[in-house]
Amino acid sequence: MAQLSDDCFAFGRPMMTVAETVALITSRVLPLAETESIPLCDADRRILARDLIASIALPPYANSAVDGYAMRGVDLPATGERGFQISGRVQAGSGERVTVAPGEAVRIFTGAPMPAGADTVFMQEDVRLGDSGAVILPAGLTIGANMRPVGEDVEAGAVVLKAGRRLRPQDIALAAALGEIRVDVSRRVRVAVFSTGNEIVAAGTPRGPTQLFDSNRFMLMAMLGRLGCAITDLGILPDDRAAITDTLSKASSAHDLILTSGGVSTGEADFVKDAVESAGSLVFWRVAIKPGRPVAMGVIDGTPFIGLPGNPVASFVTFAYIARPAILALSGAGPKPIVSTPVRTAFSYKKKKDRREYVRVNLRPAANGSVEAVKFPREGAGLLSSLVETDGLIELAEDVTQIQQGDIVGFIPYSSLY
Ligand code: AMP
Ligand code: MG
């Protein structure tokens, strides 16, 4: 387990910016030391634990990039056409040793090894077949055209994937191309999750007329799953300090992070902060972010705790901007800021200074080939449909107080948040 001291987040102020919060978390949370070797086919989204070094060059042998005719570049006609006698044929996968002699061409296909002596390939579309098996090449091709030299893609010995990278399908393809069958990754971050609230019940159990089915836990578990976490589902806890304290204490020993939703605000039934203080220590509980302001952070027996607000949209946004960096830090992922794409707003909007706001939007094509963001018509932090029916978030920085229709703003697709 990551062993944190109770006061490791101590310089947190009561109201912190998102950047301060993330900087604090990522500087204090220690990456898990344990790694595991896993089959490449299971490696998507896992965090690479060691640099991957190319044991071979790619391509490992010089080969043709096209279907055509291979010949020696020095034989190329400077002007006019020239006929070459076809002296052989080489297919992809052929182990036969083929040599091209001066003035000759070899019929070749994409991916086939270059014949000895050949350094240039004419595309079959660019040549004419002459009489008696000759091929007639036009002038104008540069020496080396359509030939893929050894190591053009990757040189042997190069570091191709750095430790800390969250593996993507194309990274896995590169490892496979190098002949790797397993990769070393950091072990999965073990996260215990529970919801809180007397009004929250689990789907599949009876729901009273003043109760809600739990949605946050499923959303958070799905997001955690995408981040490669091993999840312990601790269900739903009532608004009861003792019950929450007990669960926090028990969960801390076998987990790297405890993540909850609900009960971190200032209402009478918001016992999560109290419970964190009983079981360990609470370090801050307000982040200048909307939706989401009440976010609790704590340490319980050396294990970090993050308490997200109960409103589903607030839970979603604070997971993405506060819990996700903590999980990535635990898993040893290298820092990779979420980069927004500039788009034009199709709306005007006012906001409070000194807090960061995330506005739910859809993108649509606009005049002159640009893209514009259309705000979801309603703003409530409890509206799950607002997340379901939009493409992503517009990020409005702390110093912004209003945006006008037509302003350029930063758009973040949901897909980059988990
Ligand atoms: P809280 O943060 O506990 O004050 O909750 C804020 C709002 O979010 C309340 O309206 C809760 O009913 C709602 N809420 C809390 N937890 C959940 C949950 N797990 N699923 C859906 N809604 C929730
Ligand atoms: Mg509550």
Side-chain angles (χ1 to χ4, degrees), residues 196-200 239 261-265 269-271 310:
T196 67
N198 290 343
E199 79 282 30
I200 309 298
D239 291 312
S261 79
V264 289
S265 198
D270 291 329
F271 290 117

Side-chain angles (χ1 to χ4, degrees), residues 345-396:
T345 53
F347 60 96
S348 48
Y349 187 77
K350 283 195 166 58
K351 75 176 262 299
K352 274 195 188 154
K353 203 172 183 299
D354 295 332
R355 74 177 177 203
R356 196 181 291 190
E357 264 191 59
Y358 292 96
V359 181
R360 289 147 271 173
V361 298
N362 277 303
L363 294 186
R364 70 177 179 204
N368 65 37
S370 69
V371 170
E372 64 184 10
V374 183
K375 185 177 160 297
F376 189 75
R378 287 167 298 139
E379 282 167 30
L383 303 173
L384 265 179
S385 58
S386 68
L387 290 176
V388 171
E389 291 170 21
T390 50
D391 297 323
L393 302 170
I394 291 293
E395 183 175 53
L396 300 176

Side-chain angles (χ1 to χ4, degrees), residues 92-111:
S94 164
E96 196 191 335
R97 182 154 176 84
V98 176
T99 303
V100 66
E104 288 178 355
V106 165
R107 183 75 169 114
I108 195 165
F109 300 92
T110 307

Side-chain angles (χ1 to χ4, degrees), residues 276-345:
V276 174
E277 275 177 331
S278 304
S281 67
L282 181 77
V283 278
F284 65 80
W285 60 278
R286 281 162 178 228
V287 180
I289 182 172
K290 188 188 173 188
R293 189 178 60 128
V295 180
M297 179 90 206
V299 179
I300 297 157
D301 282 336
T303 298
F305 161 86
I306 298 178
L308 305 177
N311 275 309
V313 182
S315 248
F316 181 89
V317 169
T318 51
F319 178 88
Y321 283 94
I322 292 163
R324 179 181 181 273
I327 291 158
L328 292 177
L330 279 165
S331 61
K336 201 161 187 293
I338 295 169
V339 178
S340 59
T341 310
V343 298
R344 216 166 271 288
T345 53

